[in-house]
């Protein structure tokens, strides 16, 4: 870090602002990043992070202020300009062509007449593969560039995105600045470890802006953390003189509710709502037996190959199984379908909220009454006014904001969307169990906390919850029972009423 | 184990093994998938040929094979363009109209029974120019005005038919007079019909464009996600127009060859081609949603359907049943071809 003063900053923002109508999304942000620095950028959803990133990636033009890259002032007219300047953004939504090979995705911006594309626009495949392999090698990945992206796991796709981001700047001999927009939001534990290693490698060739919701990760990976709130950059600290709690407070503007759940052991007088016995699906999981009790949260931990998602979907009837049994509230049948599961009082919040959990184009109130119309229905009809008042009640109860049940659901933020999805199931008169598949995925800590609080209160009202958490901490935070799966089999069962497993105990059983 | 996870070294070795296992799995799966799909098509083709040769001994004769190749030539040429359009995630229904307009333009400017101008090679240039204009028009309306290609090309089909009908007028049938051209399409050179040689050339060029040019690669990328194409700064707009133009020129070429084959100019010279081309692309395994598929698969699809037609005629299926039988087999083939893409919880719209 001795060259801090001699070399120009990789990126220097001076008083950058951006408004949309009357909404000032980014206000007077100034920031400077040195070569080899890893900066953590945190903030709640709507704090202006994405707008700032879109300015840096050339998708938006800022209204005020200046941006300088490597000491030279720049004006981005489009994403291609930003790439050429050496700024590569790895977006939260993946931006790879899944039907094409790794090599093509990395080389997609190679201009005609350079690299593997000759002056007639014809591709020289051997050259393209070699160049892509070189870019992958820079970040220590040994993926075969001829592989199609659809065959890659999520973390490998991130690698390809990073390789593409540094490829352009490597071609133009500038120091790359790689912006990772929540790269770990949906990664499993082991995969996060791989990504962390790659980020530390990036340090040697360029700088990194790391956007994340996981404060522990930010503390581990970054040199410096900047916090955004309400469009402003309110804090800029080195990781050595800030704590996780302080960051949370800066970000959310209030203290954490570190309310530890008081736990009891399973009451022997109670009988389980959902009981699965020796459930097996060839190639996915085998001999899985789990009992979920009313008023308890049961978390299933495991890595991406553990089969825990498949088990959860089997309970809801969304995936078949080969042998064993699932009994729900006393009913036990060979063929469990989604329809049957819903009729028996099971709800399912899928991991893919946008595609499986909600109808984004529909108003929020209609989403709530979609499965269980409840009092909004009169025979086969639905009464709009009753539906609206029903939805208002749920908006109040779950603190869904803004209080506009008539707006289309896609206009709400992620956390509020998730609460609407929850309300859809809670509107059932006979809800007995909820299966939650990564319910906090992609939510910022503030939103995650309120969703978690709702899950707890639902549980306390006597619903059995089966949870597939994103992290071990999430499980330790909210669960009463923890089941750990490894390679399709149960490797550990803990009743937190009397067991007190350490994170490492759980991790060891997962790997 | 616990200590291994804790220390830097240990974590490294676990993750590298995990990576290696995953990478080998990736390649195995990819290799299997790469072989499985075209293989099932080839098997279907072989079964079909086997069945028909048992039903009728005339089926596997040289003359019938050359006959099948002649019949498949025009659909093949048109299908190369249709494949490109479908890879975009769009569809081109204007095929028959463009064929009619181009074929009619060409014959009226060539040596025909109505007399008039005989422009020789310029007739080809002008006729294909008409096709190009129709294609560019479709492409521009589709991209600039954001009208679904389905609607635009449905309209362009009738525009093409209308142009052909206007050119046709009320006069006598324009009959081809040039003796060298009469029957040229089905004449044999080096063992194969001439029109099939043209088809092979078009297929070769099509594969080159798709595999190794910017237009081809961006076509595949657009089929995957146009949003990503735009945000990567790639030329989505020009490529889309170019693909519609290419498809129309190939339809036009098909229209001229069909006119030569028929000997007379007719606005409906392309009748029935669309019904072979689109299903052939789909049976070949190119996704209607775009992004996945290829030209060689389409070639197999065209052969499958042409052989089916030819075989049914030779096996003595009554002509009144034939269209129903072909239709039913077609639906069955598409259900079969799309079977592997079914996915639980995924709704087809």
């Amino acid at each position: 870090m001795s060259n801090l003063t001699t070399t120009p900053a990789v990126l220097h923002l001076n008083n950058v602002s951006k408004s949309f109508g009357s909404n000032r999304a980014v206000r007077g942000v100034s920031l400077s990043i040195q070569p080899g620095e890893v900066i953590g950028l945190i903030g709640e959803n709507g704090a202006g992070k994405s707008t700032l990133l879109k300015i840096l990636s050339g998708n938006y033009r800022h209204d005020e202020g200046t941006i300088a890259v490597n000491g030279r002032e720049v004006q981005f007219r489009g994403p291609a300009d930003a790439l050429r300047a050496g700024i590569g953004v790895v977006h939260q939504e993946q931006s790879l062509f899944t039907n094409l090979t790794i090599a093509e995705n990395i080389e997609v911006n190679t201009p005609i007449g350079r690299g593997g594309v000759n002056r007639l626009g014809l591709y020289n495949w051997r050259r393209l593969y070699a160049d892509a392999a070189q870019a992958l090698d820079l970040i220590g990945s040994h993926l075969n560039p001829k592989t199609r992206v659809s065959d890659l796991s999520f973390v490998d796709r991130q690698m390809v995105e990073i390789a593409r981001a540094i490829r352009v700047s490597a071609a133009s001999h500038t120091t790359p600045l790689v912006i990772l927009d929540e790269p770990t939001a949906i990664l499993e534990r082991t995969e996060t470890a791989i990504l962390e290693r790659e980020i530390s490698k990036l340090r040697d060739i360029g700088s990194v802006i790391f956007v994340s919701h996981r404060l522990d990760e930010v503390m581990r990976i970054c040199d410096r953390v900047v916090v955004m709130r309400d469009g402003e950059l309110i804090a800029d600290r080195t990781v050595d003189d800030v704590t996780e709690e302080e960051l949370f407070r800066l970000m959310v503007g209030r203290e954490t509710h570190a309310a530890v759940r008081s736990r009891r052991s399973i009451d022997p007088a109670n009988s389980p709502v959902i009981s699965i016995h020796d459930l097996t699906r060839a190639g996915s999981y085998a001999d899985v037996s789990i009992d979920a009790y009313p008023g308890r949260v049961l978390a299933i931990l495991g890595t991406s190959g553990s089969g825990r998602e498949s088990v959860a979907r089997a309970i809801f009837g969304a995936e078949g199984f080969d042998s064993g049994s699932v009994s729900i509230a006393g009913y036990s049948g060979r063929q469990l379908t989604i329809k049957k599961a819903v009729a028996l009082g099971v709800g399912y919040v899928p991991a893919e909220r946008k595609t499986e959990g909600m109808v984004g184009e529909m108003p929020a109130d209609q989403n709530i009454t979609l499965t269980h119309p409840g009092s909004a229905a009169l025979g086969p009809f639905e009464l709009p006014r009753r539906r609206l008042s029903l939805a208002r009640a749920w908006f109040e109860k779950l603190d869904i904001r803004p209080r506009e049940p008539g707006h289309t659901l896609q206009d709400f933020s992620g956390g509020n969307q998730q609460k609407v999805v929850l309300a859809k199931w809670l509107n059932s008169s006979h809800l007995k169990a909820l299966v939650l598949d990564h319910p906090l995925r992609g939510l910022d800590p503030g939103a995650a906390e309120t969703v978690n609080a709702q899950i707890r209160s639902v549980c306390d009202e006597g619903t059995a919850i089966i949870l597939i958490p994103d992290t071990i901490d999430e499980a330790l935070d909210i669960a009463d029972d923890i089941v750990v799966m490894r390679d399709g089999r149960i490797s550990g069962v803990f009743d937190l009423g009397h067991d007190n497993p350490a994170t490492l105990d759980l991790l060891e059983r997962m790997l | 184990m616990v200590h291994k996870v804790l220390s830097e070294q240990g974590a490294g070795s676990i993750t590298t093994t995990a990576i290696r296992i995953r990478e080998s799995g990736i390649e195995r799966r990819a290799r299997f998938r790469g072989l499985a799909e075209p293989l099932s098509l080839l098997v279907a083709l072989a079964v079909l040929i086997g069945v028909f040769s048992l039903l009728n001994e005339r089926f596997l004769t040289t003359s019938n094979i050359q006959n099948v190749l002649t019949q498949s030539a025009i659909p093949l040429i048109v299908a190369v363009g249709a494949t490109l359009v479908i890879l975009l995630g769009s569809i081109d229904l204007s095929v028959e109209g463009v064929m009619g307009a181009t074929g009619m333009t060409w014959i009226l400017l060539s040596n025909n029974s109505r007399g008039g101008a005989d422009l020789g090679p310029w007739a080809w240039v002008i006729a294909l120019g008409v096709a190009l204009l129709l294609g560019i028009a479709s492409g521009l309306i589709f991209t600039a005005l954001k009208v679904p290609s389905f609607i635009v090309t449905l309209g362009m089909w009738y525009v093409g038919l209308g142009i052909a009908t206007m050119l046709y007028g009320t006069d006598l049938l324009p009959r081809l007079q040039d003796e060298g051209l009469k029957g040229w399409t089905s004449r044999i050179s080096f063992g194969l019909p001439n029109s099939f040689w043209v088809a092979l050339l078009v297929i070769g060029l099509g594969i080159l464009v798709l595999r190794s040019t910017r237009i081809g690669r961006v076509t595949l990328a657009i089929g995957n996600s146009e949003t990503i194409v735009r945000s990567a700064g790639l030329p989505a707009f020009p490529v889309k127009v170019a693909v519609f133009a290419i498809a129309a020129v190939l339809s036009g070429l098909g229209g001229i060859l069909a006119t030569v084959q028929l000997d007379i100019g007719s606005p409906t010279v392309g009748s029935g081609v669309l019904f072979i081309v689109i299903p052939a692309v789909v049976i070949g395994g190119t996704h209607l949603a775009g992004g996945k598929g290829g030209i060689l698969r389409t070639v197999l699809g065209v052969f499958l359907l042409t052989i089916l037609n030819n075989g049914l005629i030779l096996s003595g299926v009554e002509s009144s049943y034939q269209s129903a039988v072909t239709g039913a087999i077609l639906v069955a083939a598409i259900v079969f071809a799309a079977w592997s893409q079914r996915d639980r919880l995924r709704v087809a719209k």
Side-chain angles (χ1 to χ4, degrees), chain A residues 133-403:
Chain A
Q134 205 184 341
L136 284 168
D137 201 43
L138 267 178
I139 55 166
S141 172
H142 299 289
L143 289 167
N144 184 347
K146 295 182 187 174
T147 314
R148 231 198 275 178
V149 170
S150 55
D151 291 326
L152 298 181
S153 71
F154 195 86
V155 69
D156 287 330
R157 294 184 193 192
Q158 298 276 27
M159 296 297 138
V160 177
E161 296 231 27
I162 296 173
R164 175 168 72 179
I166 61 167
R167 167 77 184 116
V168 179
S169 59
S172 53
H173 304 289
T174 49
T175 319
L177 169 69
V178 180
I179 301 175
L180 301 166
D181 187 6
E182 284 188 52
T184 57
I186 66 172
L187 294 186
E188 303 287 347
R189 194 88 207 183
T190 40
E191 296 173 328
T192 309
I194 299 176
L195 194 77
E196 280 178 26
R197 246 169 14 123
E198 302 313 323
I199 292 174
S200 57
K201 274 203 189 100
L202 279 176
R203 214 186 279 267
D204 302 333
I205 45 176
S207 312
V208 179
I209 297 180
F210 180 74
V211 183
S212 177
H213 280 146
R214 297 192 189 165
L215 298 179
D216 55 328
E217 252 169 35
V218 172
M219 294 291 285
R220 217 168 33 239
I221 298 173
C222 306
D223 306 315
R224 202 145 61 86
V225 185
V226 294
V227 185
M228 282 188 82
R229 196 168 77 206
D230 300 330
E232 280 176 284
L233 206 152
I234 58 160
D236 185 340
R237 309 280 175 84
T238 58
V239 289
D240 299 329
D241 48 45
V242 73
T243 63
E244 248 180 77
E245 288 71 36
E246 202 183 340
L247 285 179
F248 185 93
R249 193 175 43 73
L250 282 168
M251 200 166 127
V252 183
R254 60 183 157 82
E255 300 288 339
T256 46
H257 303 292
V260 177
R261 197 174 159 76
S262 68
R263 294 174 167 111
R264 275 160 291 134
S265 302
I266 298 170
D267 182 354
N270 261 347
S271 56
V273 179
I274 293 181
S275 175
I276 67 176
H277 185 67
D278 284 345
L279 204 66
T280 300
R281 179 188 167 101
S284 182
Y285 52 85
D287 304 330
V288 175
S289 300
I290 294 173
D291 289 323
Y293 290 87
R296 293 179 74 85
V297 176
L298 180 138
I300 310 177
L301 286 172
T303 58
S304 53
S306 66
R308 59 179 181 148
E309 280 90 355
S310 289
V311 171
R313 292 172 78 87
I315 294 170
F316 186 58
E319 261 180 41
F321 49 87
D322 299 329
S323 64
S325 66
V326 177
S327 71
I328 299 170
Y331 168 91
S332 173
R334 219 21 227 103
Q335 282 298 325
L336 184 66
T337 59
I338 294 181
K339 203 173 164 188
K340 189 79 208 167
V342 171
L344 288 167
V346 182
Y348 173 65
V349 175
E352 304 290 336
R353 178 176 64 241
K354 293 213 166 76
T355 54
E356 293 183 355
M358 57 182 241
V359 187
E361 297 84 356
M362 249 194 208
D365 63 331
Q366 290 185 31
N367 268 281
I368 290 178
T369 58
L370 200 55
T371 313
H372 300 287
S375 61
L378 186 74
F381 303 103
E382 240 182 69
L383 307 177
R385 207 170 304 161
R386 277 207 220 162
R387 179 172 61 212
L388 209 58
S389 67
L390 188 88
R392 281 221 180 85
W394 281 117
F395 267 57
E396 210 58 51
K397 185 157 185 232
L398 302 188
D399 189 24
I400 303 170
R401 279 181 240 193
R403 296 270 198 282

Side-chain angles (χ1 to χ4, degrees), chain B residues 45-211:
Chain B
L45 206 56
V47 169
L48 208 59
I49 292 172
V51 168
F52 282 137
S53 54
L54 286 179
L55 286 175
N56 191 320
E57 72 273 9
R58 271 198 300 139
F59 180 74
L60 266 188
T61 54
T62 319
S63 71
N64 190 52
I65 291 173
Q66 285 168 343
N67 187 17
V68 168
L69 293 182
T70 310
Q71 279 171 16
S72 64
I74 291 165
L76 278 174
I77 292 168
V78 177
V80 168
T83 307
L84 291 175
V85 173
I86 290 177
L87 282 173
L88 278 179
S90 311
I91 200 155
D92 180 6
L93 300 178
S94 69
V95 164
E96 296 183 7
V98 174
M99 286 178 77
T102 315
M104 190 58 76
T105 310
W106 177 79
I107 198 165
L108 291 179
L109 296 176
S110 300
N111 184 3
N112 69 82
S113 58
R114 282 197 196 166
D118 176 7
L119 300 181
W122 284 106
W124 290 78
V125 175
I126 293 170
L128 291 177
V130 169
L132 182 70
L133 284 179
L134 287 171
I136 290 177
S138 293
L140 281 178
I141 296 170
F142 165 56
T143 44
L145 304 182
K146 297 194 166 65
V147 182
S149 58
F150 163 75
I151 302 291
V152 178
T153 54
L154 194 64
M156 210 49 79
W157 179 355
Y158 274 69
V159 171
L161 275 186
I163 292 174
T165 315
M166 282 188 308
L167 292 173
Y168 181 73
T170 51
D171 214 342
L172 286 170
L173 287 173
R175 193 169 279 279
L176 194 61
Q177 298 283 27
D178 190 328
E179 290 303 321
L181 271 176
K182 271 191 181 172
W184 181 85
T185 49
S186 45
R187 224 170 287 148
I188 307 295
S189 327
F190 308 104
L192 295 175
N194 287 329
S195 57
F196 191 71
W197 281 114
V198 178
L200 282 182
L201 182 73
V202 168
I203 292 166
L205 283 174
I207 290 173
L208 181 75
V209 166
L210 191 58
R211 281 217 182 131

Side-chain angles (χ1 to χ4, degrees), chain A residues 106-118:
Chain A
I106 293 176
E107 298 293 318
V108 77
N109 285 300
T110 310
I112 282 176
R114 263 208 258 153
V117 187
N118 76 10

